[in-house]
């Protein structure tokens, strides 16, 4: 007999307020207070970052409870959503999913589909039927897509954790009182076991959001214990409602897939091996573009202004350089554009200037004579070889990433990467 019930929710927040993590944290506490045991950590599952319907982070919450039927949880989930979701806001379409036992392989694959592509409610309903799940919907109920995917998520390959502290209701919308110096200190002591705490380039604190949502702060890291330790180092000058540690697919690159240029489509996130075809160009807005080619086609790669110094790596590229690019693909009127998250420079072409040599006898100027070589104007010395000046390249081979402030939730920071 199955002794596990999966519960997931998604699309409970609006663009302006609310927060799926808050609903998740409340749900967890409400279920515990009814006497049930939670199995493992609740999950914060990021889904396709390019989804046009997403609110801020396109995140769903899932948790597993020790229980042998899901009926008792229908009321708990409904009451939490009806109390806290932004139901009156158009475009907030909460969905909840309850599953007895473990997801089947079709539901597991559905996670990858929703993460890397776009899905529809009809598709979600078919998967739900197979798995005999209970669906709860509010408004358009689009949230069932992400909720189902969150249950199907396989985090055994790679995962990180995030500790999220939520604010007391009376503080929502006010300035967050977290001492920035204590964040820098925490970062110094725990990075890279915690990551994205600060943006070293801009000096910004990254753990506190700037939206009116109930999140006070979120610390990301590789283990729950380092997060507890990091949290204790912070100086917080407002009461905290509660904090919750989630296991998550953030910082794992799970959204990326290795592709050929001919196979890319709108809204996928791709890894492409190719050769730089055109010299990168800066636009008036400070964005940098270049054309990449592989044996199947060409695509425009972009490093936008917010990627700051990362753009200097990109502008250092020359036609013929071999690179691997990582990023989200968008269909633009002029064709597909890949928005760079990372770039690996694998080989650099030699850059050189070929010109007429200086005369070795009289140091006079030599002149090209047909295809056979060069001759000196004054002493008539002949040379068959031109002078070749090697130009030093401004960049080196290696892998480079956009700064923390421009990084997507799902992107794996290089500090966590060991296999490049
Ligand atoms: Zn000469």
């Amino acid at each position: 007999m199955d002794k596990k019930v999966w519960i997931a929710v998604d699309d409970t927040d609006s663009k302006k307020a609310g927060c799926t993590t808050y609903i998740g944290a409340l749900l967890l506490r409400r279920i515990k207070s009814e006497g049930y045991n939670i199995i493992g950590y609740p999950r914060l599952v990021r889904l396709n970052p390019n989804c046009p319907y997403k609110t801020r982070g396109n995140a769903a919450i899932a948790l597993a409870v020790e229980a042998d039927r899901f009926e008792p949880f229908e009321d708990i989930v409904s009451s939490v959503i009806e109390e806290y979701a932004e139901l009156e806001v158009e475009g907030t379409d909460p969905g909840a999913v309850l599953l007895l036992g473990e997801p089947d392989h079709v539901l597991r694959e559905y996670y990858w589909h929703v993460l890397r592509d776009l899905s529809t409610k009809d598709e979600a309903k078919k998967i739900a039927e197979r798995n005999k799940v209970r669906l709860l919907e509010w408004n358009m109920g689009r949230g069932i897509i992400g909720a189902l995917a969150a249950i199907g998520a396989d985090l055994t390959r790679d995962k990180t954790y995030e500790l999220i502290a939520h604010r007391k209701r009376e503080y929502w919308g006010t300035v967050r009182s977290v001492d920035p110096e204590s964040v820098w200190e925490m970062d110094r002591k725990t990075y890279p076991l915690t990551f994205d705490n600060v943006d070293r380039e801009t000096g910004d604190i990254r753990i506190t959001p700037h939206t009116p949502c109930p999140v006070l702060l979120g610390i990301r890291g590789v283990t729950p214990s380092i997060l507890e330790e990091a949290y204790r180092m912070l100086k917080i000058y407002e009461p905290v409602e509660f904090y919750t540690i989630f296991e998550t697919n953030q910082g794992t690159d799970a959204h990326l897939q290795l592709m050929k240029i001919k196979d890319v489509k709108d809204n996928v996130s791709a890894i492409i091996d190719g050769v730089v075809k055109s010299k990168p160009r800066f636009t008036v807005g400070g964005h940098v573009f270049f054309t990449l080619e592989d044996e199947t086609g060409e695509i425009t790669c972009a490093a936008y202004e917010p990627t700051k110094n990362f753009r200097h790596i990109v502008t250092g590229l020359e036609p013929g350089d071999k690179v691997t690019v990582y990023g989200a693909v968008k269909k633009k009127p002029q064709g597909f554009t890949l928005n760079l998250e990372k770039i690996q420079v694998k080989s650099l072409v030699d850059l050189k200037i070929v010109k007429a040599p200086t005369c070795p006898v009289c140091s006079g100027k030599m002149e090209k004579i047909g295809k056979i070589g060069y001759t000196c104007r004054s002493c008539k010395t002949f040379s068959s070889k031109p002078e070749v000046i090697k130009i030093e390249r401004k960049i080196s081979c290696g892998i480079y990433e956009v700064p923390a402030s421009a990084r997507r939730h799902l992107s794996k920071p290089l500090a966590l990467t060991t296999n490049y």
Side-chain angles (χ1 to χ4, degrees), residues 195-334:
F195 54 93
D196 284 357
N197 300 312
V198 293
D199 188 312
R200 284 175 180 72
E201 205 173 300
T202 60
D204 289 340
I205 299 295
R206 301 283 307 150
I207 66 167
T208 45
H210 299 285
T211 50
C213 79
V215 173
L216 173 63
L217 60 90
I219 315 170
R220 295 169 182 194
V222 296
T223 61
S225 59
I226 193 71
L227 292 180
E228 300 260 13
E229 207 180 303
Y231 181 68
R232 285 194 299 268
M233 293 177 195
L234 299 178
K235 292 186 179 129
I236 299 169
Y237 301 115
E238 67 171 74
V240 173
E241 174 86 26
F242 40 58
Y243 75 81
T244 313
I245 294 178
F246 294 91
E247 62 174 20
T248 157
N249 61 352
Q250 291 170 167
T252 65
D253 276 349
H255 60 312
L256 296 168
Q257 47 192 330
L258 188 62
M259 297 180 101
K260 292 290 177 199
I261 291 173
K262 72 168 167 47
D263 299 324
V264 303
K265 48 183 184 164
D266 201 14
N267 297 318
V268 301
S269 294
I271 302 174
I272 301 171
D273 284 318
V275 177
V276 176
K277 193 185 176 198
S278 72
K279 206 168 161 59
R281 55 189 195 281
F282 250 105
T283 64
V284 186
H287 314 308
V288 179
F289 296 94
F290 70 91
T291 307
L292 181 81
E293 67 177 349
D294 69 3
E295 66 280 13
T296 70
E298 289 179 11
I299 189 166
T300 303
C301 294
Y304 292 103
E305 192 281 329
T307 66
K308 304 292 174 199
N309 284 340
F310 176 76
R311 293 171 300 166
H312 298 313
I313 298 299
V314 178
T315 50
L317 293 168
E318 293 288 339
D321 290 345
K322 289 195 178 118
V323 296
T324 303
V325 296
Y326 301 71
V329 175
K330 281 277 167 204
K331 192 170 185 177
K332 299 273 168 77
Q334 64 276 24

Side-chain angles (χ1 to χ4, degrees), residues 359 361-364 376 378-381:
C359 174
V361 178
C362 73
S363 300
C376 178
S378 20
C379 74
K380 307 297 173 203
T381 302

Side-chain angles (χ1 to χ4, degrees), residues 1 11 19 36 47-49 61 77 139 172 188 192 201 230 232 290 292 307 312 324 337 340 347 356 366 381 392 395:
M1 190 61 205
D11 207 355
C19 180
Y36 293 96
L47 297 164
N48 192 339
I61 298 290
V77 173
N139 298 342
W172 295 5
R188 272 192 289 278
E201 205 173 300
R232 285 194 299 268
F290 70 91
L292 181 81
T307 66
H312 298 313
T324 303
T337 297
L340 290 167
S347 73
M366 296 184 93
T381 302
E392 208 173 319
I395 55 172

Side-chain angles (χ1 to χ4, degrees), residues 74-238:
E74 287 183 29
D75 285 346
I76 303 175
V77 173
S78 298
S79 70
V80 171
I81 289 190
E82 278 153 29
E83 210 168 319
Y84 294 98
E86 306 276 309
L87 288 174
E88 69 290 350
V89 178
E90 186 168 342
T92 300
D93 300 305
V97 175
L98 304 168
L99 167 71
L100 178 62
E102 290 294 349
D104 72 353
H105 71 280
V106 178
L107 181 44
R108 289 240 175 266
E109 275 157 35
Y110 186 63
Y111 159 65
W112 295 105
H113 177 56
V114 177
L115 176 67
R116 294 174 166 179
D117 211 327
L118 300 178
S119 182
T120 61
K121 230 182 108 181
D122 284 347
E123 220 173 359
K125 291 219 158 176
K126 281 197 193 99
I127 306 280
E129 248 164 58
R130 257 189 81 94
N131 281 268
K132 300 190 180 58
V133 304
R134 177 89 172 96
L135 299 178
L136 303 173
E137 300 174 34
W138 290 264
N139 298 342
M140 304 282 285
R142 191 184 290 285
I144 62 166
I145 299 169
L148 260 182
I151 292 178
D154 178 8
L155 300 183
T156 54
R157 270 197 237 173
D158 198 2
K159 67 179 161 192
T160 63
Y161 294 85
E162 180 163 358
L163 180 153
I164 298 180
H166 288 102
R167 317 181 77 187
K168 293 260 184 220
R169 189 149 209 162
E170 58 268 32
Y171 286 84
W172 295 5
T174 66
V175 174
R176 291 165 174 81
S177 301
V178 179
D179 174 27
E181 193 36 56
S182 73
V183 179
W184 283 96
E185 181 66 14
M186 175 275 276
D187 184 73
R188 272 192 289 278
K189 288 183 172 152
T190 61
Y191 177 86
L193 298 179
T194 66
F195 54 93
D196 284 357
N197 300 312
V198 293
D199 188 312
R200 284 175 180 72
E201 205 173 300
T202 60
D204 289 340
I205 299 295
R206 301 283 307 150
I207 66 167
T208 45
H210 299 285
T211 50
C213 79
V215 173
L216 173 63
L217 60 90
I219 315 170
R220 295 169 182 194
V222 296
T223 61
S225 59
I226 193 71
L227 292 180
E228 300 260 13
E229 207 180 303
Y231 181 68
R232 285 194 299 268
M233 293 177 195
L234 299 178
K235 292 186 179 129
I236 299 169
Y237 301 115
E238 67 171 74

Side-chain angles (χ1 to χ4, degrees), residues 346-361:
K346 300 205 297 199
S347 73
L348 297 170
V349 291
D350 283 334
L351 268 193
K352 53 200 173 191
I353 295 174
V354 176
K355 62 172 197 179
T358 314
C359 174
V361 178

